[in-house]
Amino acid sequence: MKPVVTLSLVAGLGVSIANAVPADVEARTTYPTVRRDVVVIGGGSSGTYAAVKLRRMGKSVAVVETRESFGGHTSTYHVPGSDITIDYGVQGYGDVAVIRNHFASFDIAMDQLPLSETGFGISNYVDFRNGQTVPDFNFSMDLFGFKKQSERYPYLYYSTRLPDPVPKDFLLPFREFLAKYDLEDTAYNMFYNLEGFGDLLSQTTLYVLKYFNREYLAALDPGFKGALVTSRRYNQQLYDRAEEMLGDDALVSSRVVSATRTKSGVTVVVRTPNGVKTIQAKKLLVTMPPLASNMEPLGMDKTEKALFTKFAASGWYVGLVRASGLPVNFAFQNTRPDTSHNLPKLPSLYQMSPTVVSDIYLVRYGTTGQMPDALIKRDITKTFDRVRTAVLGKKAKALRPAELLAYSSHYPFNLHVTPSEISKGFYNKLDTLQGHLSTWYTGAAIISHATGALWNFTDHLVDRMYETK
Ligand SMILES: *[C@@H]1O[C@H](CO)[C@@H](O)[C@H](O)[C@H]1NC(C)=O
Ligand SMILES: *[C@@H]1O[C@H](CO)[C@@H](O)[C@H](O)[C@H]1NC(C)=O
């Protein structure tokens, strides 16, 4: 069996509805109204990229982020008492100009990591319900057939717009797409490259094509140079530096409580740890996942509501577990002997993989919808202990239970609508919304979870915001 390599070239959005501003943070001070050219909602991958570009264009900008720091799906853990850092969110990036240039502009060195050197240890295919190894099980790592299909739709890489009529293949449940092109033996490998997609086989093919795009496929191509990683393995550094650059305009642990938006500008009321701020701006850039629940404080009009209420999402959660006793460099991947293509049923832990520190493991968990973080955290450590006990037998009894060192929720992941909505022109309507009520949109829900595509789209969108009409 070959090792499964999951790079997760994902980028994400900063705002998660689970990360509310603490209730004790009430308005203590009311600041005078401040004026900015643009207010960006979300300090994740696309929001940070946009804010930096706008600043460099000479625009004034404020970024509102619910979390304590920028970075979205990027998370770096600092091992206490050492200078070791472990990335447990976004792992790597496609080798495209927009990525190289953005990191270089913050003076962050990158390396090319060939496929043969990636991966997370020696994979063991184990049923996480009981810790038993799944014997005699084959799958294909060959992505050539999928790539050939992907190449038919180059515009998916950089555009929200779809042809009219929408190509029939986009609307197929992914299991039918795999059957149609005789790609079923790749299902297991695809599943692990598309963690966060919930029930992948039922997912609409359009979303697979948008995320698993040419850049991601190139990074996994054995004949190619591989993916880009930060040389220090400290992906969060990009966001730390961007936050520094923005200074007081980086409003972290903050959230929009209300807004007025018109053709000529926006007024946004933001609750920050230091009180309530009112920001008047010419434009608003939404980069958070535009679920209706997140959009509510912005006051949606009928057109917007008709679109944003259609979104559903799946969940992806990442973390680090401390646990001793397992053989060095052992990785475990959840595998079911009794399902089609041996795919685990969600919610469940996807995998437990070694890191540079011998008793710290990277863990990734998936759900088909929203689930409380407390339940996920408990299931992660319980599953870890169950698998470890199955591997070590009686020896496991003397070990301390697995401990969750770090955790980050990527819910809501992969915002999607039904195939019927897609064929009725959902994405063209979404694109037509750009600029409506001085509001613009970027982020994974608008283009892709793959960082290069996300930054490419955002770069172009910021230019579009300032095109003279
Ligand atoms: C974005 O992608 C398009 C199409 O591949 C390319 O022409 C363009 O140069 C890219 N833009 C950036 C900023 O990378
Ligand atoms: C897996 O592949 C090997 C080598 O091609 C073959 O001998 C074996 O029967 C296959 N096992 C299954 C379960 O298909």
Side-chain angles (χ1 to χ4, degrees):
M1 285 183 276
K2 298 172 215 155
V4 169
V5 179
T6 53
L7 286 172
S8 37
L9 299 166
V10 298
L13 303 154
V15 181
S16 140
I17 52 173
N19 265 288
V21 176
D24 61 345
V25 179
E26 270 314 318
R28 283 192 284 268
T29 326
T30 302
Y31 289 80
T33 301
V34 296
R35 289 190 167 72
R36 292 288 177 271
D37 290 318
V38 183
V39 175
V40 177
I41 304 186
S45 174
S46 49
T48 305
Y49 185 93
V52 167
K53 174 164 163 119
L54 285 160
R55 262 291 187 95
R56 289 175 178 160
M57 284 164 67
K59 306 291 177 191
S60 60
V61 54
V63 182
V64 184
E65 166 58 47
T66 56
R67 298 189 190 216
E68 284 169 9
S69 55
F70 285 5
H73 294 177
T74 301
S75 316
T76 304
Y77 177 75
H78 297 254
V79 179
S82 78
D83 59 1
I84 299 171
T85 47
I86 305 175
D87 284 310
Y88 63 98
V90 174
Q91 297 289 317
Y93 306 86
D95 190 354
V96 290
V98 71
I99 302 240
R100 283 187 176 267
N101 294 342
H102 193 51
F103 277 95
S105 79
F106 281 99
D107 214 11
I108 296 171
M110 300 197 94
D111 297 332
Q112 226 156 24
L113 198 65
L115 185 64
S116 56
E117 291 167 32
T118 52
F120 298 105
I122 304 148
S123 288
N124 289 273
Y125 302 93
V126 165
D127 186 342
F128 282 9
R129 293 171 307 167
N130 53 27
Q132 299 304 307
T133 297
V134 177
D136 235 1
F137 131 78
N138 292 338
F139 59 90
S140 168
M141 297 277 289
D142 185 355
L143 293 166
F144 183 75
F146 179 78
K147 186 160 169 267
K148 233 171 65 189
Q149 293 308 314
S150 146
E151 282 166 356
R152 293 170 60 192
Y153 315 107
Y155 53 86
L156 288 181
Y157 185 74
Y158 52 80
S159 172
T160 309
R161 287 200 166 261
L162 300 179
D164 181 15
V166 174
K168 287 228 157 48
D169 280 359
F170 290 2
L171 307 174
L172 294 176
F174 193 53
R175 76 164 54 72
E176 287 177 29
F177 180 86
L178 290 177
K180 181 171 174 182
Y181 295 104
D182 199 17
L183 300 171
E184 283 168 301
D185 59 350
T186 68
Y188 185 86
N189 183 31
M190 296 284 290
F191 182 82
Y192 277 102
N193 279 302
L194 290 154
E195 286 181 8
F197 262 53
D199 176 8
L200 175 67
L201 299 180
S202 304
Q203 190 53 263
T204 305
T205 300
L206 172 67
Y207 298 102
V208 178
L209 291 165
K210 281 181 86 73
Y211 178 26
F212 212 28
N213 61 10
R214 65 176 191 225
E215 170 189 338
Y216 197 161
L217 288 162
L220 293 177
D221 188 334
F224 199 67
K225 315 166 275 194
L228 289 179
V229 294
T230 53
S231 306
R232 283 196 57 193
R233 307 294 193 271
Y234 180 5
N235 293 341
Q236 180 68 33
Q237 194 166 34
L238 178 73
Y239 297 94
D240 295 349
R241 292 202 171 154
E243 234 181 279
E244 231 172 82
M245 169 188 178
L246 293 167
D248 290 344
D249 286 324
L251 303 172
V252 294
S253 303
S254 298
R255 89 176 25 247
V256 174
V257 287
S258 67
T260 325
R261 298 177 293 131
T262 69
K263 257 181 7 200
S264 48
V266 300
T267 304
V268 182
V269 180
V270 183
R271 185 184 294 168
T272 78
N274 307 312
V276 173
K277 284 192 182 198
T278 302
I279 311 170
Q280 263 175 24
K282 297 189 190 99
K283 297 171 199 290
L284 181 70
L285 178 60
V286 173
T287 73
M288 65 177 167
L291 285 178
S293 52
N294 281 349
M295 292 295 294
E296 201 71 58
L298 298 180
M300 290 175 280
D301 72 6
K302 245 175 77 185
T303 316
E304 293 168 343
K305 208 170 230 169
L307 295 175
F308 298 129
T309 51
K310 300 290 185 336
F311 277 125
S314 47
W316 198 14
Y317 315 82
V318 296
L320 293 171
V321 158
R322 185 189 290 284
S324 57
L326 287 168
V328 175
N329 222 18
F330 250 47
F332 299 90
Q333 192 148 298
N334 198 358
T335 305
R336 285 273 294 253
D338 59 340
T339 63
S340 62
H341 312 297
N342 306 95
L343 303 180
K345 290 225 192 310
L346 306 182
S348 77
L349 192 58
Y350 284 118
Q351 59 189 101
M352 326 177 349
S353 325
T355 66
V356 288
V357 180
S358 65
D359 63 347
I360 298 181
Y361 291 81
L362 178 68
V363 288
R364 292 161 159 184
Y365 196 94
T367 60
T368 54
Q370 197 170 12
M371 188 167 148
D373 289 314
L375 288 185
I376 295 166
K377 289 177 180 179
R378 198 166 62 213
D379 199 28
I380 289 174
T381 49
K382 273 177 62 180
T383 304
F384 201 107
D385 284 336
R386 186 163 60 238
V387 172
R388 187 172 60 168
T389 300
V391 172
L392 299 178
K394 277 198 205 110
K395 269 193 300 186
K397 279 221 176 88
L399 300 170
R400 283 171 48 184
E403 175 199 353
L404 195 60
L405 293 180
Y407 171 84
S408 180
S409 169
H410 294 181
Y411 180 86
F413 199 79
N414 188 37
L415 267 61
H416 54 275
V417 300
T418 61
S420 140
E421 285 297 333
I422 297 170
S423 68
K424 284 189 296 188
F426 181 90
Y427 285 98
N428 292 1
K429 290 179 207 161
L430 196 60
D431 189 61
T432 302
L433 211 55
Q434 296 286 7
H436 175 65
L437 300 178
S438 309
T439 307
W440 300 78
Y441 301 87
T442 182
I446 313 293
I447 186 70
S448 171
H449 274 289
T451 311
L454 198 48
W455 291 357
N456 180 301
F457 180 84
T458 303
D459 197 272
H460 185 62
L461 184 81
V462 171
D463 290 339
R464 241 169 109 185
M465 286 167 71
Y466 284 95
E467 262 164 25
T468 42
K469 293 211 177 97

